Amino acid sequence: MSEFTGSISSVNPLIRTAINVADEAVAVEALEAGEPKLEIQGLNFFYGKFQALRNISVKMPARRITSIIGPSGTGKSTFLRLFNRMSDLVPGTRVEGQVRLDGQNIFEGLDPVRLRSKVGMVFQKPNPFPKSIYDNIAYGPRMHRIKNKKQLDEIVERSARGAYIWEEIKDKLHVSAMALSGGQQQRLCIARAIAVEPEVILMDEPCSALDPISTIKVEELMLQLRSNYTIVIVTHNMQQAARASDFTSVFMMAPDRAGELVEFGPTKEIFTRPKDERTEQYVTGRFG
């Protein structure tokens, strides 16, 4: 990693204005305090013979939002999906190194179903099930053998309130989820994810299909959720990363086309005082 010295004077003004969420001192303190929630060491990932990720090591603190940014094709979504072992569903993949959740390597002795109850996922495009709003949120708890109607009612309400959508859906719980707007569907998917009480929420470009107003609502929701959950988000939106994350990871493509992590740090530092020239070029829009 090359050292890039000096602060950035050419940050897009919209991004400069957006950097108002992460208190850098608080972020650094969180990074240094105690054990990280997620710790990645020497991670290499392969699709068959093709290496998609190369030698990634990073620590992500609990109850903070970490954004993953970088040009297309640098392995950001691949990296994110390793955290709940969705890579297991793709034939011919291979992992080297470790991904530790609370100190435990998720690839050794941890059942994937159990892992996915701890690490929830929200996808790029809202994907509600073709069921009622109620049944969408209750789906996970039912899969975990919760059948009591009163208990399910409580979970549905608590999760919908947690996703700040309860007031919009409380009078139409038995209406099809497909009748909701795109932004409402995405918040419903977040309610569905938190209904099983995960510890980590992964978000893969959750706002890319949403209008600006819905995007802001989801970002505000993320900031509320971070008091209880560790959130990792992939985004191509520089302003979103600046607005809604405490830490930022920057991915680039190595000469052999493997994705690599070139820089990680408090979001304000990444956007104003990056250590790597490639980061400076990317966040100022000079490439990528």
Side-chain angles (χ1 to χ4, degrees), residues 4-10 272-274 280:
F4 174 75
T5 58
S7 61
I8 296 177
S9 60
S10 55
T272 61
R273 301 188 308 279
E280 187 268 346

Side-chain angles (χ1 to χ4, degrees), residues 16 38 41-42 153 169 228 231:
R16 186 183 296 280
L38 290 163
Q41 284 195 337
D153 288 349
I169 66 172
N228 295 309
I231 299 174

Side-chain angles (χ1 to χ4, degrees), residues 3 31 66 76 81 89 97 102 116 125 143 166 194 202 228 238 250 265:
E3 285 293 314
L31 189 61
T66 298
K76 301 182 299 297
R81 294 177 184 217
L89 306 176
D102 291 326
R116 290 168 193 149
K125 184 178 179 181
M143 290 297 99
W166 175 250
I194 66 178
L202 310 176
N228 295 309
M238 294 293 100
V250 184

Side-chain angles (χ1 to χ4, degrees), residues 113-114 116-117 138-147 196:
V113 175
R114 174 61 177 155
R116 290 168 193 149
S117 70
Y139 180 84
R142 283 173 172 156
M143 290 297 99
H144 287 82
R145 303 184 185 280
I146 296 176
K147 305 296 183 184
V196 295

Side-chain angles (χ1 to χ4, degrees), residues 18-287:
I19 303 174
N20 57 11
V21 171
D23 182 305
E24 192 169 358
V26 172
V28 171
E29 182 180 350
L31 189 61
E32 295 175 348
E35 292 296 320
K37 188 67 178 179
L38 290 163
E39 183 173 7
I40 297 86
Q41 284 195 337
L43 179 70
N44 297 288
F45 182 75
F46 300 82
Y47 290 105
K49 294 182 179 179
F50 171 70
Q51 184 166 7
L53 297 171
R54 177 182 302 285
N55 196 29
I56 295 173
S57 296
V58 66
K59 297 178 182 180
M60 298 181 182
R63 297 183 179 180
R64 289 292 184 271
I65 302 172
T66 298
S67 63
I68 302 173
I69 65 172
S72 298
T74 53
K76 301 182 299 297
S77 292
T78 295
F79 180 62
L80 187 76
R81 294 177 184 217
L82 283 171
F83 294 160
N84 67 351
R85 291 182 55 178
M86 289 189 67
S87 57
D88 291 8
L89 306 176
V90 181
T93 58
R94 178 165 57 90
V95 179
E96 297 175 352
Q98 295 188 0
V99 175
R100 294 202 289 267
L101 174 66
D102 291 326
Q104 181 179 7
N105 186 357
I106 67 172
F107 298 107
E108 293 181 359
L110 185 58
D111 178 66
V113 175
R114 174 61 177 155
L115 172 65
R116 290 168 193 149
S117 70
K118 293 184 175 185
V119 183
M121 185 86 181
V122 177
F123 294 92
Q124 179 175 0
K125 184 178 179 181
N127 63 336
F129 301 142
K131 300 173 180 286
S132 70
I133 293 169
Y134 183 100
D135 287 341
N136 265 268
I137 301 175
Y139 180 84
R142 283 173 172 156
M143 290 297 99
H144 287 82
R145 303 184 185 280
I146 296 176
K147 305 296 183 184
N148 181 274
K149 178 68 164 57
K150 182 179 179 181
Q151 190 175 2
L152 285 172
D153 288 349
E154 291 172 352
I155 291 172
V156 168
E157 180 173 349
R158 182 175 66 246
S159 302
R161 286 188 183 279
Y164 289 84
I165 196 174
W166 175 250
E167 294 300 325
E168 299 168 51
I169 66 172
K170 64 181 181 180
D171 296 324
K172 48 185 177 182
L173 291 174
H174 299 291
V175 172
S176 171
M178 311 309 290
L180 296 174
S181 69
Q184 289 174 323
Q185 287 184 5
Q186 193 65 303
R187 283 182 287 143
L188 175 68
C189 291
I190 294 172
R192 187 176 67 195
I194 66 178
V196 295
E197 299 183 343
E199 299 171 18
V200 178
I201 302 175
L202 310 176
M203 297 185 173
D204 192 358
E205 296 189 62
C207 301
S208 64
L210 304 183
D211 62 82
I213 293 175
S214 295
T215 294
I216 291 297
K217 287 184 177 180
V218 171
E219 290 177 6
E220 290 174 346
L221 171 56
M222 288 166 51
L223 293 170
Q224 294 293 328
L225 290 174
R226 71 174 170 179
S227 62
N228 295 309
Y229 304 95
T230 302
I231 299 174
V232 187
I233 175 174
V234 168
T235 180
H236 282 284
N237 186 328
M238 294 293 100
Q239 294 176 55
Q240 181 170 78
R243 281 193 302 260
S245 67
D246 302 289
F247 296 92
T248 296
S249 306
V250 184
F251 276 62
M252 295 290 167
M253 191 175 291
D256 62 356
R257 303 191 66 77
E260 60 180 359
L261 177 66
V262 300
E263 192 161 354
F264 172 83
T267 293
K268 183 177 180 180
E269 180 179 301
I270 293 295
F271 279 94
T272 61
R273 301 188 308 279
K275 295 181 175 64
D276 192 291
E277 187 172 3
R278 291 168 291 179
T279 300
E280 187 268 346
Q281 291 175 341
Y282 183 70
V283 300
T284 57
R286 280 188 269 170
F287 84 88

